[in-house]
Amino acid sequence: IPMASKNSSWSFPKGFWWGVASAAYQAEGAAKAEGRGPSIWDVLLHRVTGYTVANQTGDIADNHYYMYKQDIARIAALGVKTYSFSISWSRIFPFGNGQINQEALEHYDDVINTCIEYGVEPSVTLFHWDLPLNLQNLYGGWLSSEIVDDFLNYAKVVFSYYGNKVPRWFTVNEPIVFCDDYPLPDNYFTNTSIPKYQQPYWCGHHVLLAHSGAYHLARSLGINGTISFKNNGGYKIPLTNSSADARAVQRAWDFNEGWFANPTFINGDYPTNLKDFVSDFLPDFTDAEKQMINGTADVFAHDAYTSQFYFAPDAGIDSCVQNKSNPLWPSCANTSYTYSSSDGGWNVGPAADPLSPWLHKATDWVPAFLHYIADTWKPAGGIAVTEFGFAEPFEVQKTIKADILFDPIRSSYYKDYMEAILIAISEGVNVVGCLAWSIFDNLEWSDGYQDKFGLQYVNFTTQERAYKASFFEYVNAFVTYGQDEVVPHYVPS
Ligand code: GBH
């Protein structure tokens, strides 16, 4: 699809919220400070050898727990409208439930207040993967229905404390990712009796109950900020125009976005493909639960980084799909092919496993993606791209310099992506906001510190920050096409 050329009719609507994002475990550090309890990620990175590149951990990360004031000041100085961060559940509840840690509540209160003082709107995610360790060991974390009440109890404390200072809430980040990560590595957590191949679906089930419960809880507490969960996935393109490939694409939508979006936006229930393929063990929702789940997202929040081609499974995959007790299942129900640079196609970002690079600069498909979401899930409150971004490939990082303040591929990713959103808006899609991932280089989970998604460079020895060129490219889109003035705030009001 050729990108349309610059068009004077492009504009972001008034009130369009745009900003930058982070997540607690990836940015905060201060792992043992002020009463924080451990999360499963402390175990994954401290105890499971080789889980991260060079066995790196989030113990210090960006030291953001201590440097948030300067970090907020740095984005305010560029006129950034919103900062999206996550709260660490095991700071508020060191054991996941029970005892509340007042110091942590006050900490995030100050983060929120600092944002407001600098003219930056806080956007808050309650759960970005760092599950309190105790809840994993007590009952298997998201595999148990007990998590629902504990999540609601946590949400209630947070909603009540920060109330209407927060205009946008996200309950959970990318359930497809953390649920697919079940089963967790053997021998590090208390075992559960749920067979491994069923675990992602039990996790997903409890996520939908917890999310929708939190939605209703917020409304009953008089919270008027928007409430959503962050869905995730790339745009799915059939490799050929065969009907088999079209079916593969539909199956991929259903097993990814649809798993969480159909219940919340369509009918409180799972997509047909999902029900068909995993009918023997997919948990059912009662009619009352379906009613409770349907309609519980104010905005379709989607983390949309990239695109993939999908094709019909070959014979090997077919037998994998049939053998549902195969531990590889259900990923084999989900066959994708991604263009690589060697195909003369999209730019490829770095991947820990060079055989499965997932991130491509494939922004030409973004308008079609946004149309697809609007047409399929019809979100009344519009669509927000709640994460998008690009990690400069290693060769580029090396040839420029270690600091990569000049990041040409990321810059062009942001430029093209913003133009793609503008095209979709000009074609009538209601896009209400976007959040660039990430405010700065940080701990990229099992890829450690080598994958750098930041709009700012961080020297992890000195903790100095520096803006990258791509940050200015991103802000420039709103200077050029925004209806609201981009106002730099240098001092708290
Ligand atoms: C987001 O996930 C996360 O919310 C954020 O924390 C993270 O830092 C950011 O993206 C950048 O990655 O290596 O082929 O097995 C994006 C979804 C899901 C994409 C897991 C990478 C691994 C694919 N991610 N996936 S592969």
Side-chain angles (χ1 to χ4, degrees), residues 71-396:
D71 288 332
I72 293 164
R74 290 183 62 83
I75 60 173
L78 294 195
V80 168
K81 190 173 166 110
T82 183
Y83 175 42
S84 177
F85 59 92
S86 80
I87 291 181
S88 154
W89 184 345
S90 70
R91 287 192 193 276
I92 308 286
F93 286 95
F95 298 97
N97 56 24
Q99 180 84 40
I100 296 180
N101 174 16
Q102 185 64 25
E103 231 176 333
L105 274 175
E106 284 163 19
H107 168 81
Y108 291 111
D109 198 36
D110 202 43
V111 176
I112 289 167
N113 292 340
T114 304
C115 284
I116 295 167
E117 283 162 15
Y118 274 96
V120 173
E121 295 172 353
S123 299
V124 175
T125 299
L126 295 180
F127 179 74
H128 198 124
W129 306 353
D130 44 356
L131 183 74
L133 177 62
N134 183 50
L135 301 186
Q136 187 61 44
N137 284 336
L138 203 58
Y139 49 64
W142 288 102
L143 301 181
S144 164
S145 61
E146 289 185 56
I147 190 106
V148 178
D149 279 349
D150 283 339
F151 183 76
L152 293 181
N153 186 44
Y154 162 53
K156 185 175 185 175
V157 167
V158 172
F159 287 146
S160 310
Y161 206 83
Y162 309 122
N164 289 328
K165 287 199 275 191
V166 177
R168 273 172 297 279
W169 298 93
F170 303 107
T171 54
V172 295
N173 181 67
E174 303 183 351
I176 175 150
V177 176
F178 70 82
C179 287
D180 265 350
D181 274 351
Y182 281 99
L184 292 166
D186 282 335
N187 307 325
Y188 296 95
F189 305 97
T190 307
N191 276 330
T192 124
S193 57
I194 300 176
K196 290 183 180 187
Y197 64 98
Q198 298 185 10
Q199 292 186 11
Y201 297 97
W202 284 101
C203 170
H205 207 69
H206 300 135
V207 164
L208 283 159
L209 294 170
H211 160 77
S212 56
Y215 183 92
H216 294 293
L217 173 69
R219 292 289 100 100
S220 77
L221 293 170
I223 298 295
N224 52 29
T226 62
I227 319 269
S228 309
F229 68 96
K230 289 169 70 199
N231 213 339
N232 162 258
Y235 187 59
K236 299 167 207 344
I237 309 155
L239 190 60
T240 74
N241 58 13
S242 72
S243 54
D245 283 1
R247 280 196 302 277
V249 165
Q250 186 56 50
R251 189 164 63 178
W253 285 118
D254 288 353
F255 269 85
N256 290 277
E257 288 78 353
W259 182 5
F260 298 97
N262 283 37
T264 359
F265 289 93
I266 297 183
N267 59 1
D269 205 0
Y270 295 116
T272 317
N273 264 314
L274 193 60
K275 293 221 267 193
D276 288 352
F277 273 91
V278 295
S279 55
D280 25 353
F281 60 81
L282 187 70
D284 288 326
F285 290 119
T286 64
D287 286 343
E289 286 170 339
K290 286 181 198 168
Q291 246 190 330
M292 180 184 86
I293 293 167
N294 193 10
T296 54
D298 295 324
V299 170
F300 196 106
H302 201 67
D303 297 357
Y305 283 80
T306 190
S307 312
Q308 300 96 17
F309 287 90
Y310 281 77
F311 56 93
D314 60 23
I317 302 257
D318 264 343
S319 72
C320 171
V321 169
Q322 255 114 59
N323 177 11
K324 289 178 185 168
S325 58
N326 180 337
L328 282 177
W329 200 93
S331 50
C332 56
N334 206 345
T335 312
S336 70
Y337 167 81
T338 36
Y339 248 52
S340 70
S341 50
S342 59
D343 298 319
W346 301 320
N347 286 110
V348 188
D353 172 4
L355 296 174
S356 62
W358 64 277
L359 181 61
H360 300 81
K361 184 178 170 287
T363 51
D364 41 353
W365 293 96
V366 169
F369 198 172
L370 295 168
H371 276 285
Y372 185 86
I373 293 172
D375 296 346
T376 308
W377 292 288
K378 304 182 172 58
I383 303 167
V385 181
T386 38
E387 278 184 34
F388 65 116
F390 195 78
E392 210 74 9
F394 299 132
E395 337 52 281
V396 179

Side-chain angles (χ1 to χ4, degrees), residues 9-12 417-427 477 481:
S9 72
W10 286 351
S11 85
F12 294 106
Y417 206 116
M418 298 323 297
E419 293 186 1
I421 291 178
L422 287 160
I423 291 170
I425 291 172
S426 75
E427 292 168 353
Y481 298 109

